[in-house]
């Protein structure tokens, strides 16, 4: 009979040797929430085996055709976005349609930001998101791989 203790497994934690990839996501015709959930997951690093909740292990994501994202139902007119200038009476309200007309990329940016952790870690993760209204982007040198948004 062997009295040797079973071999213990070591918990692997992310460190400074994180390899970051670049992905490109075409959101043309895709539902906003479903696409944003997948993008936030890749930004956070949840698609990697080395995911650590307190560390930034995610990849860069380039989003193209943000102005052609799809919303279901009557959200183009009924969904209200609010900004405040921090001055009395400084509340601005506008619909999703008005937001896309003013800033075509903000709809995707706000959806992804809502799915990331708040605080210093979330702000660092959010900086790896690059959103463009059309198909042109300046990140071709990074050779981004296509991100499947199903």
């Amino acid at each position: 009979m062997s009295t040797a203790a079973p071999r213990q497994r070591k918990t692997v934690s992310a460190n400074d040797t994180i390899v970051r990839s670049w992905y490109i996501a075409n959101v043309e015709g895709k539902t906003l929430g479903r696409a944003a959930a997948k993008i936030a997951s890749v930004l956070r690093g949840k698609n990697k085996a080395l995911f650590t909740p307190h560390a930034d292990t995610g990849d860069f994501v380039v989003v193209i055709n943000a102005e052609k994202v799809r919303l279901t139902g009557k959200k183009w007119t009924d969904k209200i976005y609010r900004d405040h200038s921090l001055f009395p009476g400084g509340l601005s309200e506008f619909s999703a349609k008005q937001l896309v007309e003013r800033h075509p990329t903000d709809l995707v940016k706000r959806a992804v930001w809502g799915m990331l952790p708040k605080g210093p870690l979330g702000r660092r993760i959010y900086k790896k998101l690059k959103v463009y209204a059309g198909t042109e982007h300046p990140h071709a040198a990074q050779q981004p791989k296509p991100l499947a948004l199903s």
Side-chain angles (χ1 to χ4, degrees):
M1 232 169 126
S2 173
T3 59
R7 197 173 92 195
Q8 293 183 356
R9 296 185 179 173
K10 299 285 183 181
T11 301
V12 178
S13 183
N15 55 16
D16 295 335
T17 60
I18 299 166
V19 178
R20 299 202 193 280
S21 302
W22 282 75
Y23 291 96
I24 187 163
N26 187 355
V27 295
E28 181 177 1
K30 304 291 185 198
T31 306
L32 176 64
R34 293 174 186 267
K38 178 69 175 174
I39 292 166
S41 178
V42 172
L43 283 171
R44 184 109 193 262
K46 288 194 164 190
N47 58 335
K48 296 182 177 182
L50 196 63
F51 171 70
T52 307
H54 65 274
D56 180 11
T57 58
D59 298 321
F60 289 86
V61 178
V62 178
V63 179
I64 58 173
N65 290 324
E67 62 188 4
K68 298 176 184 174
V69 73
R70 195 180 75 136
L71 290 177
T72 58
K74 298 191 292 182
K75 291 187 187 121
W76 282 114
T77 55
D78 292 356
K79 187 167 179 63
I80 302 297
Y81 289 90
R82 293 177 177 88
D83 283 340
H84 203 288
S85 67
L86 301 180
F87 286 98
L91 181 66
S92 300
E93 294 183 338
F94 35 89
S95 68
K97 187 174 186 176
Q98 292 169 330
L99 180 65
V100 169
E101 288 171 0
R102 289 183 195 163
H103 306 287
T105 61
D106 274 8
L107 202 62
V108 175
K109 286 181 180 179
R110 286 175 185 240
V112 173
W113 170 250
M115 297 179 185
L116 293 176
K118 306 306 178 271
L121 176 64
R123 289 189 292 272
R124 193 170 357 148
I125 292 171
Y126 183 71
K127 288 179 184 177
K128 294 185 310 212
L129 175 67
K130 317 293 181 189
V131 183
Y132 299 97
T135 56
E136 300 297 319
H137 63 88
H139 304 288
Q142 283 75 24
Q143 299 173 346
K145 296 177 272 191
L147 181 63
L149 301 173
S150 53

